[in-house]
Amino acid sequence: MGGVDLVDRMMSYYRMSGHTKKWTLRMLMHSTDLALANSWLLYHKDLTVNGTPKKNIMQLLEFCMEVAMTFLAQHDKTTLTFQSRKMTQTFQSKGKSVQCRQCPTS
């Protein structure tokens, strides 16, 4: 049970929060969480075996954010990439103006 318990613990740290009653969406979010946790464990194990210093290995949250930004960058090839957006850029969503605070600057 060691591997199963480890993956369950890793998934519980940064679980996708989607409050829905649809079982299909819940299964999709769970499967994505499971894939991310397993991918990070393999990434961590591979770099540890290769002798990479611990400070150069991404933590789980950083790994998940990097995967998400990679998917967003692939989806948004025709316009500005996520990394190049200004921190003061505003977005219009359902009549509300939302200001981006956490967008990294290049």
Side-chain angles (χ1 to χ4, degrees):
M1 291 298 290
V4 175
D5 292 337
L6 178 62
V7 172
D8 283 340
R9 185 180 56 173
M10 301 302 289
M11 286 173 44
S12 70
Y13 292 148
Y14 306 109
R15 188 175 301 273
M16 281 189 202
S17 61
H19 300 284
T20 180
K21 291 183 180 180
K22 294 197 178 278
W23 68 270
T24 52
L25 291 176
R26 292 179 68 155
M27 287 299 296
L28 180 66
M29 288 187 290
H30 181 76
S31 299
T32 304
D33 286 336
L34 182 65
L36 280 171
N38 283 329
S39 299
W40 182 80
L41 287 171
L42 288 173
Y43 161 81
H44 188 268
K45 181 180 178 181
D46 185 46
L47 289 181
T48 304
V49 167
N50 288 333
T52 304
K54 193 170 184 174
K55 65 179 182 179
N56 293 341
I57 299 175
M58 288 188 278
Q59 295 298 316
L60 178 60
L61 179 60
E62 188 179 358
F63 181 81
C64 292
M65 294 301 290
E66 189 66 33
V67 169
M69 285 194 292
T70 302
F71 281 134
L72 287 173
Q74 288 178 354
H75 176 69
D76 201 23
K77 284 185 179 179
T78 58
T79 60
L80 296 174
T81 60
F82 187 73
Q83 290 88 1
S84 66
R85 292 183 181 157
K86 304 254 185 216
M87 291 182 73
T88 58
Q89 183 176 1
T90 58
F91 302 96
Q92 293 293 330
S93 174
K94 296 182 181 179
K96 297 179 181 178
S97 178
V98 179
Q99 193 170 21
C100 182
R101 294 183 181 185
Q102 297 178 353
C103 296
T105 57
S106 297

XYZ file of all heavy atoms in Angstrom:
852
model
N 0.821 -1.210 0.000
C 0.000 0.000 0.000
C 0.860 1.268 0.000
O 0.324 2.345 -0.094
C -0.907 0.022 1.227
C -2.003 -1.032 1.211
S -3.152 -0.863 -0.152
C -4.012 0.601 0.321
N 2.171 1.137 0.109
C 3.033 2.309 0.205
C 2.896 3.246 -0.981
O 2.807 4.455 -0.826
N 2.894 2.709 -2.201
C 2.792 3.550 -3.390
C 1.437 4.208 -3.530
O 1.329 5.375 -3.903
N 0.382 3.465 -3.221
C -0.974 4.010 -3.313
C -1.175 5.107 -2.286
O -1.722 6.172 -2.589
C -2.027 2.887 -3.137
C -3.429 3.468 -3.113
C -1.894 1.850 -4.232
N -0.723 4.870 -1.061
C -0.863 5.877 -0.017
C -0.070 7.132 -0.347
O -0.522 8.242 -0.091
C -0.403 5.328 1.334
C -1.326 4.240 1.853
O -2.496 4.224 1.436
O -0.867 3.410 2.657
N 1.114 6.966 -0.928
C 1.940 8.113 -1.295
C 1.258 8.959 -2.354
O 1.199 10.192 -2.241
C 3.306 7.636 -1.793
C 4.271 8.717 -2.259
C 4.622 9.656 -1.107
C 5.525 8.084 -2.836
N 0.705 8.316 -3.381
C 0.025 9.057 -4.445
C -1.232 9.736 -3.903
O -1.505 10.893 -4.243
C -0.303 8.132 -5.637
C -1.169 8.843 -6.657
C 0.971 7.648 -6.293
N -1.985 9.063 -3.055
C -3.173 9.688 -2.461
C -2.799 10.912 -1.634
O -3.474 11.936 -1.674
C -3.934 8.692 -1.586
C -4.756 7.713 -2.396
O -5.048 8.026 -3.575
O -5.099 6.650 -1.863
N -1.698 10.809 -0.885
C -1.250 11.937 -0.085
C -0.817 13.094 -0.988
O -1.145 14.243 -0.739
C -0.106 11.522 0.819
C 0.316 12.635 1.765
C 1.435 12.212 2.631
N 2.528 11.772 1.753
C 3.723 11.455 2.165
N 4.015 11.470 3.440
N 4.666 11.079 1.334
N -0.077 12.795 -2.057
C 0.375 13.833 -2.988
C -0.820 14.508 -3.662
O -0.830 15.724 -3.841
C 1.297 13.241 -4.060
C 2.534 12.582 -3.527
S 3.571 13.639 -2.540
C 4.223 14.689 -3.768
N -1.828 13.732 -4.017
C -3.021 14.301 -4.662
C -3.788 15.194 -3.699
O -4.384 16.185 -4.109
C -3.927 13.177 -5.180
C -3.397 12.500 -6.412
S -4.344 11.050 -6.918
C -6.021 11.576 -6.774
N -3.785 14.868 -2.421
C -4.565 15.646 -1.460
C -3.968 17.031 -1.209
O -4.673 17.937 -0.783
C -4.683 14.892 -0.139
O -3.444 14.856 0.525
N -2.687 17.223 -1.485
C -2.053 18.517 -1.257
C -2.623 19.605 -2.173
O -2.925 20.708 -1.737
C -0.543 18.444 -1.470
C 0.192 17.623 -0.452
C 1.332 16.935 -0.796
C -0.247 17.525 0.860
C 2.036 16.179 0.125
C 0.436 16.770 1.793
C 1.580 16.106 1.420
O 2.260 15.361 2.333
N -2.737 19.310 -3.460
C -3.162 20.309 -4.440
C -4.229 19.719 -5.355
O -4.048 19.616 -6.556
C -1.964 20.801 -5.261
C -0.846 21.314 -4.416
C 0.345 20.611 -4.306
C -0.982 22.499 -3.716
C 1.372 21.080 -3.514
C 0.038 22.973 -2.920
C 1.215 22.259 -2.826
O 2.226 22.731 -2.046
N -5.338 19.334 -4.784
C -6.427 18.735 -5.543
C -7.159 19.806 -6.347
O -7.325 20.932 -5.887
C -7.398 18.053 -4.590
C -8.468 17.244 -5.268
C -9.313 16.507 -4.265
N -8.538 15.587 -3.433
C -8.256 14.334 -3.776
N -8.655 13.858 -4.913
N -7.573 13.566 -2.955
N -7.573 19.445 -7.570
C -8.388 20.357 -8.362
C -9.697 20.574 -7.638
O -10.343 19.619 -7.210
C -8.683 19.763 -9.741
C -7.585 19.869 -10.701
S -8.206 19.374 -12.309
C -6.690 18.949 -13.082
N -10.081 21.824 -7.487
C -11.318 22.096 -6.760
C -12.410 22.448 -7.763
O -12.469 23.547 -8.276
C -11.120 23.240 -5.769
O -10.749 24.414 -6.458
N -13.217 21.492 -8.048
C -14.362 21.701 -8.911
C -15.579 21.123 -8.236
O -15.688 19.915 -8.088
N -16.452 21.980 -7.801
C -17.650 21.513 -7.104
C -18.721 21.207 -8.136
O -19.396 22.102 -8.644
C -18.130 22.564 -6.112
C -17.106 22.887 -5.075
N -16.838 22.038 -4.017
C -16.259 23.926 -4.944
C -15.890 22.555 -3.279
N -15.511 23.704 -3.813
N -18.841 19.954 -8.459
C -19.819 19.530 -9.440
C -20.414 18.198 -9.002
O -19.782 17.418 -8.294
C -19.191 19.410 -10.842
O -20.181 18.996 -11.766
C -18.056 18.405 -10.849
N -21.634 17.977 -9.424
C -22.293 16.708 -9.110
C -22.153 15.715 -10.259
O -22.502 14.553 -10.101
C -23.769 16.944 -8.815
C -23.992 17.698 -7.526
C -25.454 17.847 -7.221
C -25.629 18.601 -5.913
N -27.038 18.767 -5.569
N -21.636 16.177 -11.378
C -21.479 15.289 -12.527
C -20.284 14.357 -12.294
O -19.170 14.805 -12.099
C -21.272 16.100 -13.797
C -22.490 16.916 -14.173
C -22.386 17.351 -15.593
C -23.604 18.126 -15.992
N -24.701 17.284 -16.351
N -20.537 13.080 -12.342
C -19.501 12.109 -12.060
C -18.427 12.117 -13.130
O -17.266 11.824 -12.851
C -20.087 10.715 -11.870
C -20.657 10.107 -13.115
C -21.925 10.211 -13.575
C -19.951 9.299 -14.048
N -22.069 9.520 -14.748
C -20.863 8.948 -15.068
C -18.646 8.839 -14.140
C -20.514 8.170 -16.155
C -18.286 8.060 -15.231
C -19.219 7.728 -16.215
N -18.799 12.467 -14.372
C -17.811 12.460 -15.444
C -16.742 13.531 -15.214
O -15.549 13.271 -15.397
C -18.487 12.684 -16.801
O -19.316 13.856 -16.727
C -19.352 11.506 -17.186
N -17.143 14.718 -14.802
C -16.178 15.784 -14.533
C -15.327 15.452 -13.307
O -14.124 15.739 -13.277
C -16.884 17.122 -14.338
C -17.523 17.719 -15.591
C -18.267 19.004 -15.247
C -16.474 17.977 -16.645
N -15.951 14.864 -12.293
C -15.192 14.482 -11.097
C -14.147 13.423 -11.427
O -13.025 13.459 -10.925
C -16.130 13.984 -10.019
C -17.010 15.121 -9.464
C -17.932 14.620 -8.434
N -17.143 14.233 -7.267
C -17.608 14.188 -6.045
N -18.873 14.498 -5.822
N -16.850 13.833 -5.045
N -14.498 12.471 -12.285
C -13.540 11.439 -12.705
C -12.420 12.048 -13.547
O -11.252 11.659 -13.402
C -14.244 10.337 -13.502
C -15.092 9.426 -12.651
S -14.141 8.542 -11.407
C -13.092 7.534 -12.406
N -12.747 13.013 -14.397
C -11.733 13.677 -15.214
C -10.752 14.445 -14.327
O -9.530 14.360 -14.521
C -12.395 14.618 -16.217
C -11.449 15.377 -17.132
C -10.721 14.423 -18.057
C -12.219 16.408 -17.934
N -11.274 15.168 -13.343
C -10.397 15.917 -12.441
C -9.544 14.974 -11.594
O -8.362 15.224 -11.379
C -11.218 16.852 -11.555
C -11.782 18.038 -12.315
S -12.579 19.250 -11.278
C -14.044 18.387 -10.761
N -10.130 13.883 -11.124
C -9.382 12.908 -10.336
C -8.282 12.261 -11.174
O -7.148 12.096 -10.702
C -10.319 11.846 -9.766
C -9.621 10.821 -8.932
N -9.192 11.076 -7.644
C -9.246 9.551 -9.216
C -8.604 9.997 -7.163
N -8.621 9.061 -8.101
N -8.609 11.911 -12.414
C -7.615 11.298 -13.302
C -6.473 12.259 -13.605
O -5.308 11.853 -13.671
C -8.267 10.854 -14.608
O -9.256 9.901 -14.365
N -6.798 13.534 -13.777
C -5.766 14.538 -14.026
C -4.876 14.696 -12.798
O -3.645 14.771 -12.918
C -6.400 15.881 -14.403
O -7.267 15.688 -15.528
C -5.351 16.913 -14.761
N -5.478 14.751 -11.609
C -4.697 14.827 -10.374
C -3.784 13.609 -10.226
O -2.622 13.733 -9.842
C -5.605 14.919 -9.152
C -6.253 16.270 -8.995
O -5.700 17.258 -9.502
O -7.315 16.334 -8.345
N -4.314 12.445 -10.530
C -3.545 11.210 -10.439
C -2.371 11.225 -11.413
O -1.243 10.871 -11.046
C -4.454 10.010 -10.712
C -3.847 8.623 -10.611
C -3.412 8.346 -9.184
C -4.847 7.591 -11.073
N -2.616 11.666 -12.643
C -1.546 11.727 -13.645
C -0.465 12.728 -13.237
O 0.733 12.465 -13.406
C -2.133 12.102 -15.009
N -0.868 13.876 -12.690
C 0.111 14.871 -12.252
C 0.959 14.355 -11.093
O 2.176 14.550 -11.069
C -0.586 16.163 -11.854
C -0.984 17.089 -12.993
C -1.859 18.223 -12.485
C 0.239 17.634 -13.690
N 0.323 13.705 -10.131
C 1.060 13.177 -8.980
C 2.045 12.091 -9.416
O 3.212 12.093 -8.999
C 0.094 12.633 -7.933
N 1.601 11.180 -10.267
C 2.491 10.125 -10.751
C 3.628 10.693 -11.597
O 4.766 10.240 -11.495
C 1.714 9.082 -11.549
C 0.934 8.143 -10.670
O 1.338 7.852 -9.548
N -0.195 7.665 -11.163
N 3.316 11.695 -12.416
C 4.347 12.316 -13.250
C 5.398 12.995 -12.394
O 6.600 12.895 -12.670
C 3.725 13.344 -14.199
O 2.813 12.742 -15.057
N 4.957 13.700 -11.340
C 5.918 14.368 -10.473
C 6.793 13.359 -9.731
O 7.993 13.571 -9.577
C 5.219 15.278 -9.459
C 6.216 15.993 -8.617
C 6.927 17.102 -8.949
C 6.647 15.626 -7.298
N 7.772 17.448 -7.920
C 7.625 16.562 -6.898
C 6.307 14.612 -6.431
C 8.245 16.507 -5.652
C 6.935 14.548 -5.199
C 7.892 15.489 -4.821
N 6.200 12.250 -9.291
C 6.992 11.227 -8.601
C 8.056 10.632 -9.526
O 9.204 10.431 -9.118
C 6.091 10.123 -8.054
C 5.263 10.513 -6.833
C 4.244 9.429 -6.516
C 6.160 10.767 -5.646
N 7.695 10.385 -10.786
C 8.681 9.880 -11.743
C 9.745 10.927 -12.039
O 10.940 10.606 -12.137
C 7.988 9.457 -13.041
C 7.165 8.180 -12.962
C 6.387 7.970 -14.257
C 8.066 6.991 -12.674
N 9.335 12.185 -12.194
C 10.267 13.288 -12.427
C 11.254 13.398 -11.263
O 12.465 13.491 -11.468
C 9.454 14.579 -12.600
C 10.222 15.856 -12.397
C 11.020 16.374 -13.414
C 10.132 16.566 -11.207
C 11.717 17.556 -13.231
C 10.825 17.743 -11.023
C 11.618 18.233 -12.040
O 12.306 19.401 -11.856
N 10.737 13.372 -10.051
C 11.572 13.493 -8.856
C 12.542 12.312 -8.736
O 13.734 12.494 -8.446
C 10.677 13.591 -7.621
C 11.418 13.915 -6.374
N 11.907 12.941 -5.547
C 11.763 15.107 -5.830
C 12.521 13.518 -4.529
N 12.452 14.833 -4.677
N 12.036 11.117 -8.978
C 12.877 9.913 -8.879
C 13.977 9.931 -9.933
O 15.137 9.615 -9.650
C 12.011 8.666 -9.041
C 12.782 7.375 -8.925
C 11.859 6.178 -9.095
C 12.632 4.890 -9.030
N 11.768 3.729 -9.223
N 13.633 10.327 -11.162
C 14.600 10.350 -12.253
C 15.726 11.344 -11.971
O 16.908 11.024 -12.145
C 13.893 10.703 -13.565
C 14.821 10.625 -14.755
O 15.566 9.634 -14.866
O 14.799 11.563 -15.579
N 15.374 12.551 -11.528
C 16.408 13.549 -11.255
C 17.241 13.183 -10.029
O 18.431 13.481 -9.981
C 15.783 14.928 -11.086
C 15.237 15.549 -12.377
C 14.667 16.922 -12.101
C 16.291 15.624 -13.452
N 16.641 12.543 -9.042
C 17.385 12.114 -7.862
C 18.396 11.034 -8.226
O 19.546 11.070 -7.772
C 16.425 11.597 -6.780
O 15.476 12.620 -6.479
C 17.164 11.223 -5.516
N 17.981 10.086 -9.068
C 18.877 9.011 -9.489
C 20.040 9.576 -10.316
O 21.174 9.112 -10.216
C 18.106 7.938 -10.292
C 19.033 6.983 -11.007
C 17.174 7.170 -9.374
N 19.768 10.609 -11.126
C 20.806 11.209 -11.962
C 21.729 12.144 -11.190
O 22.654 12.713 -11.765
C 20.185 11.953 -13.140
C 19.615 11.000 -14.164
O 20.066 9.876 -14.296
N 18.606 11.449 -14.884
N 21.475 12.349 -9.912
C 22.356 13.154 -9.092
C 22.121 14.651 -9.167
O 23.018 15.430 -8.852
N 20.939 15.065 -9.569
C 20.624 16.489 -9.618
C 20.501 17.030 -8.196
O 19.883 16.390 -7.345
C 19.288 16.712 -10.364
O 19.385 16.120 -11.660
C 18.964 18.174 -10.509
N 21.073 18.196 -7.917
C 20.930 18.777 -6.572
C 19.466 19.021 -6.231
O 18.662 19.369 -7.094
C 21.691 20.100 -6.666
C 22.575 19.970 -7.849
C 21.918 19.011 -8.780
N 19.135 18.840 -4.964
C 17.741 18.941 -4.526
C 17.149 20.318 -4.797
O 15.964 20.440 -5.079
C 17.654 18.608 -3.040
C 16.259 18.379 -2.560
C 16.237 17.820 -1.163
C 14.795 17.520 -0.773
N 14.730 16.852 0.511
N 17.986 21.367 -4.739
C 17.469 22.719 -4.966
C 17.073 22.954 -6.426
O 16.327 23.871 -6.716
C 18.486 23.765 -4.535
C 19.758 23.773 -5.351
C 20.692 24.849 -4.882
C 21.936 24.862 -5.772
N 22.852 25.892 -5.391
N 17.554 22.111 -7.344
C 17.212 22.250 -8.762
C 16.014 21.409 -9.172
O 15.627 21.428 -10.336
C 18.414 21.883 -9.629
C 19.547 22.863 -9.475
O 19.349 23.987 -9.016
N 20.734 22.447 -9.834
N 15.438 20.665 -8.248
C 14.264 19.834 -8.546
C 13.008 20.600 -8.145
O 12.911 21.102 -7.030
C 14.343 18.486 -7.798
C 15.586 17.712 -8.233
C 13.099 17.651 -8.057
C 15.813 16.426 -7.464
N 12.042 20.697 -9.064
C 10.809 21.422 -8.786
C 9.981 20.702 -7.731
O 9.932 19.472 -7.695
C 9.948 21.548 -10.054
C 10.475 22.499 -11.082
S 9.299 22.747 -12.423
C 9.615 21.312 -13.426
N 9.316 21.480 -6.894
C 8.363 20.933 -5.934
C 7.067 20.604 -6.676
O 6.877 20.996 -7.828
C 8.100 21.928 -4.811
C 9.310 22.203 -3.956
C 9.790 20.949 -3.248
O 8.995 20.194 -2.703
N 11.087 20.725 -3.268
N 6.156 19.902 -6.018
C 4.923 19.452 -6.658
C 4.093 20.618 -7.184
O 3.630 20.588 -8.323
C 4.089 18.605 -5.686
C 2.740 18.119 -6.218
C 2.920 17.247 -7.450
C 1.995 17.358 -5.138
N 3.902 21.661 -6.390
C 3.100 22.792 -6.840
C 3.739 23.478 -8.037
O 3.056 23.813 -9.012
C 2.906 23.799 -5.704
C 2.094 25.043 -6.052
C 0.692 24.657 -6.490
C 2.051 25.984 -4.871
N 5.037 23.678 -7.989
C 5.748 24.303 -9.107
C 5.632 23.445 -10.368
O 5.453 23.959 -11.469
C 7.210 24.491 -8.709
C 8.030 25.294 -9.671
C 9.462 25.442 -9.191
O 9.809 24.947 -8.100
O 10.239 26.065 -9.922
N 5.719 22.120 -10.201
C 5.590 21.193 -11.327
C 4.195 21.295 -11.949
O 4.053 21.386 -13.169
C 5.863 19.762 -10.849
C 5.788 18.725 -11.921
C 6.846 18.517 -12.775
C 4.649 17.943 -12.061
C 6.778 17.544 -13.767
C 4.571 16.969 -13.037
C 5.645 16.773 -13.897
N 3.154 21.322 -11.091
C 1.779 21.427 -11.596
C 1.557 22.753 -12.326
O 0.899 22.795 -13.374
C 0.785 21.283 -10.448
S 0.733 19.650 -9.721
N 2.106 23.837 -11.788
C 1.969 25.144 -12.439
C 2.701 25.164 -13.779
O 2.210 25.746 -14.750
C 2.494 26.248 -11.529
C 1.679 26.444 -10.271
S -0.037 26.859 -10.598
C 0.159 28.491 -11.230
N 3.838 24.528 -13.850
C 4.595 24.478 -15.110
C 3.829 23.686 -16.165
O 3.778 24.081 -17.335
C 5.962 23.851 -14.864
C 6.898 23.948 -16.034
C 7.313 25.365 -16.361
O 7.428 26.193 -15.438
O 7.529 25.655 -17.560
N 3.221 22.582 -15.773
C 2.403 21.791 -16.700
C 1.214 22.621 -17.186
O 0.904 22.655 -18.384
C 1.927 20.477 -16.045
C 0.877 19.778 -16.888
C 3.106 19.555 -15.802
N 0.557 23.320 -16.268
C -0.592 24.146 -16.641
C -0.179 25.268 -17.587
O -0.866 25.538 -18.585
C -1.242 24.728 -15.381
N 0.943 25.932 -17.304
C 1.392 27.013 -18.181
C 1.800 26.488 -19.552
O 1.596 27.153 -20.564
C 2.540 27.788 -17.535
C 2.056 28.687 -16.426
S 3.239 29.906 -15.893
C 4.485 28.902 -15.138
N 2.334 25.277 -19.615
C 2.676 24.679 -20.899
C 1.421 24.418 -21.722
O 1.382 24.716 -22.922
C 3.453 23.367 -20.687
O 4.622 23.646 -19.935
C 3.836 22.732 -21.999
N 0.378 23.885 -21.081
C -0.880 23.666 -21.792
C -1.499 24.982 -22.249
O -2.010 25.086 -23.361
C -1.884 22.905 -20.929
C -1.624 21.421 -20.873
C -1.657 20.759 -19.667
C -1.357 20.697 -22.016
C -1.419 19.397 -19.593
C -1.118 19.341 -21.967
C -1.155 18.686 -20.754
N -1.457 25.998 -21.403
C -2.003 27.299 -21.778
C -1.218 27.923 -22.923
O -1.801 28.531 -23.824
C -2.008 28.240 -20.574
C -3.045 27.952 -19.504
C -2.813 28.855 -18.299
C -4.443 28.122 -20.041
N 0.081 27.795 -22.910
C 0.904 28.359 -23.974
C 0.637 27.651 -25.301
O 0.623 28.290 -26.346
C 2.381 28.262 -23.606
N 0.406 26.355 -25.281
C 0.090 25.626 -26.506
C -1.270 26.030 -27.043
O -1.467 26.117 -28.243
C 0.118 24.123 -26.256
C 1.501 23.570 -26.072
C 1.482 22.084 -25.777
O 0.435 21.471 -25.598
N 2.665 21.498 -25.715
N -2.205 26.293 -26.159
C -3.554 26.672 -26.575
C -3.595 28.102 -27.094
O -4.387 28.426 -27.958
C -4.526 26.528 -25.401
C -5.911 26.984 -25.706
N -6.734 26.299 -26.575
C -6.608 28.053 -25.287
C -7.883 26.931 -26.658
N -7.830 27.999 -25.881
N -2.721 28.945 -26.607
C -2.776 30.373 -26.886
C -1.655 30.817 -27.821
O -1.092 31.878 -27.643
C -2.694 31.127 -25.552
C -3.238 32.532 -25.650
O -4.043 32.790 -26.557
O -2.836 33.361 -24.829
N -1.326 30.017 -28.837
C -0.210 30.342 -29.721
C -0.491 31.547 -30.610
O 0.433 32.241 -31.006
C 0.142 29.144 -30.598
C 0.887 28.065 -29.870
C 1.315 26.983 -30.811
C 2.093 25.930 -30.039
N 2.530 24.842 -30.879
N -1.747 31.819 -30.922
C -2.048 32.902 -31.849
C -1.987 34.274 -31.186
O -1.791 35.268 -31.859
C -3.442 32.716 -32.467
O -4.410 32.662 -31.417
C -3.495 31.444 -33.281
N -2.161 34.341 -29.877
C -2.097 35.618 -29.171
C -0.909 35.619 -28.231
O -0.030 34.773 -28.342
C -3.401 35.869 -28.380
O -3.566 34.814 -27.437
C -4.611 35.911 -29.301
N -0.875 36.524 -27.299
C 0.231 36.605 -26.353
C 0.305 35.344 -25.501
O -0.707 34.767 -25.140
C 0.039 37.807 -25.436
C 0.065 39.172 -26.098
C -0.283 40.245 -25.073
C 1.419 39.450 -26.698
N 1.494 34.937 -25.163
C 1.644 33.777 -24.285
C 1.424 34.203 -22.846
O 1.472 35.375 -22.506
C 3.048 33.157 -24.415
O 4.006 34.137 -24.050
C 3.306 32.670 -25.823
N 1.180 33.229 -21.986
C 0.886 33.501 -20.582
C 2.038 34.229 -19.903
O 1.834 35.121 -19.106
C 0.600 32.176 -19.868
C 0.129 32.332 -18.457
C -1.139 32.793 -18.186
C 0.960 32.005 -17.406
C -1.576 32.926 -16.896
C 0.523 32.141 -16.109
C -0.743 32.605 -15.855
N 3.267 33.870 -20.244
C 4.417 34.466 -19.587
C 4.624 35.921 -19.983
O 5.211 36.684 -19.231
C 5.705 33.686 -19.910
C 5.762 32.332 -19.281
C 5.122 31.260 -20.138
O 4.643 31.525 -21.236
N 5.094 30.043 -19.641
N 4.193 36.340 -21.164
C 4.488 37.684 -21.633
C 3.396 38.697 -21.309
O 3.515 39.856 -21.666
C 4.744 37.657 -23.145
O 3.567 37.294 -23.827
N 2.328 38.291 -20.648
C 1.274 39.233 -20.279
C 1.751 40.142 -19.156
O 2.458 39.717 -18.264
C 0.015 38.493 -19.839
C -0.642 37.766 -20.974
C -1.915 37.113 -20.511
N -2.504 36.413 -21.632
C -3.322 35.422 -21.536
N -3.694 34.994 -20.354
N -3.811 34.840 -22.599
N 1.352 41.368 -19.208
C 1.744 42.329 -18.174
C 0.953 42.053 -16.901
O -0.156 41.549 -16.927
C 1.455 43.746 -18.653
C 2.116 44.087 -19.965
C 3.259 44.978 -19.736
C 3.790 45.368 -21.097
N 5.137 45.509 -21.188
N 1.529 42.414 -15.765
C 0.873 42.175 -14.484
C -0.352 43.065 -14.307
O -1.230 42.774 -13.521
C 1.844 42.410 -13.341
C 2.937 41.367 -13.279
S 4.036 41.607 -11.906
C 3.003 41.089 -10.570
N -0.428 44.152 -15.039
C -1.553 45.075 -14.872
C -2.642 44.851 -15.909
O -3.585 45.633 -15.978
C -1.059 46.525 -14.978
O -0.433 46.702 -16.258
C -0.080 46.845 -13.867
N -2.522 43.826 -16.729
C -3.515 43.580 -17.762
C -4.856 43.225 -17.123
O -4.930 42.495 -16.157
C -3.064 42.434 -18.664
C -4.016 42.157 -19.807
C -3.471 41.067 -20.718
O -2.417 40.531 -20.469
N -4.208 40.753 -21.749
N -5.930 43.773 -17.668
C -7.258 43.474 -17.149
C -8.013 42.615 -18.147
O -7.797 42.689 -19.351
C -8.049 44.772 -16.874
O -8.140 45.507 -18.092
C -7.379 45.607 -15.810
N -8.892 41.805 -17.633
C -9.708 40.915 -18.440
C -11.170 41.206 -18.175
O -11.568 41.458 -17.041
C -9.411 39.440 -18.092
C -7.978 39.055 -18.282
C -7.095 39.072 -17.216
C -7.508 38.687 -19.517
C -5.777 38.724 -17.383
C -6.184 38.333 -19.695
C -5.322 38.357 -18.628
N -11.996 41.156 -19.216
C -13.425 41.353 -19.060
C -14.099 39.989 -19.019
O -13.927 39.176 -19.913
C -13.993 42.174 -20.231
C -13.515 43.602 -20.277
C -14.034 44.411 -19.104
O -15.104 44.148 -18.590
N -13.255 45.394 -18.690
N -14.820 39.713 -17.948
C -15.505 38.443 -17.788
C -16.882 38.687 -17.195
O -17.010 39.091 -16.049
C -14.694 37.523 -16.876
O -15.418 36.353 -16.610
N -17.920 38.455 -17.983
C -19.309 38.608 -17.544
C -19.555 39.988 -16.932
O -20.182 40.120 -15.883
C -19.694 37.509 -16.553
C -19.659 36.127 -17.162
C -20.098 35.081 -16.165
C -20.016 33.718 -16.794
N -20.399 32.669 -15.875
N -19.010 40.994 -17.573
C -19.253 42.357 -17.114
C -18.374 42.811 -15.983
O -18.451 43.942 -15.535
N -17.497 41.950 -15.464
C -16.615 42.317 -14.367
C -15.193 42.473 -14.901
O -14.745 41.709 -15.736
C -16.624 41.243 -13.276
C -17.963 41.066 -12.617
C -17.892 39.977 -11.580
C -19.247 39.765 -10.932
N -19.210 38.681 -9.959
N -14.496 43.456 -14.401
C -13.118 43.677 -14.784
C -12.220 42.982 -13.765
O -12.301 43.251 -12.575
C -12.809 45.172 -14.823
O -11.465 45.365 -15.146
N -11.385 42.066 -14.234
C -10.509 41.300 -13.363
C -9.075 41.686 -13.688
O -8.671 41.689 -14.844
C -10.701 39.781 -13.573
C -9.762 38.995 -12.691
C -12.138 39.403 -13.317
N -8.304 42.016 -12.670
C -6.918 42.399 -12.878
C -6.009 41.231 -12.545
O -6.132 40.611 -11.492
C -6.564 43.596 -12.001
C -5.265 44.241 -12.384
C -5.074 45.547 -11.662
O -5.684 45.776 -10.626
N -4.241 46.402 -12.208
N -5.096 40.918 -13.439
C -4.154 39.810 -13.260
C -3.046 40.256 -12.332
O -2.322 41.184 -12.621
C -3.598 39.379 -14.617
S -2.481 38.009 -14.507
N -2.906 39.570 -11.187
C -1.884 39.932 -10.220
C -0.717 38.960 -10.207
O 0.368 39.315 -9.814
C -2.471 39.976 -8.802
C -3.470 41.068 -8.629
C -3.937 41.083 -7.224
N -4.926 42.137 -7.048
C -5.446 42.453 -5.899
N -5.094 41.794 -4.818
N -6.321 43.400 -5.818
N -0.954 37.713 -10.586
C 0.077 36.711 -10.426
C 0.732 36.313 -11.738
O 1.483 35.363 -11.777
C -0.494 35.485 -9.750
C -0.992 35.763 -8.363
C -1.589 34.553 -7.719
O -1.747 33.523 -8.349
N -1.950 34.668 -6.458
N 0.447 37.021 -12.821
C 1.068 36.681 -14.091
C 2.551 37.045 -14.026
O 2.889 38.178 -13.721
C 0.407 37.436 -15.244
S -1.309 37.003 -15.496
N 3.431 36.101 -14.318
C 4.860 36.409 -14.279
C 5.244 37.309 -15.441
O 4.663 37.237 -16.515
C 5.532 35.036 -14.407
C 4.507 34.155 -15.018
C 3.162 34.711 -14.641
N 6.206 38.169 -15.223
C 6.687 39.042 -16.282
C 7.943 38.459 -16.870
O 8.695 37.756 -16.219
C 6.985 40.453 -15.739
O 7.932 40.326 -14.686
C 5.725 41.122 -15.259
N 8.170 38.743 -18.139
C 9.360 38.224 -18.813
C 10.536 39.115 -18.587
O 10.473 40.261 -18.465
C 9.094 38.100 -20.305
O 8.062 37.173 -20.521
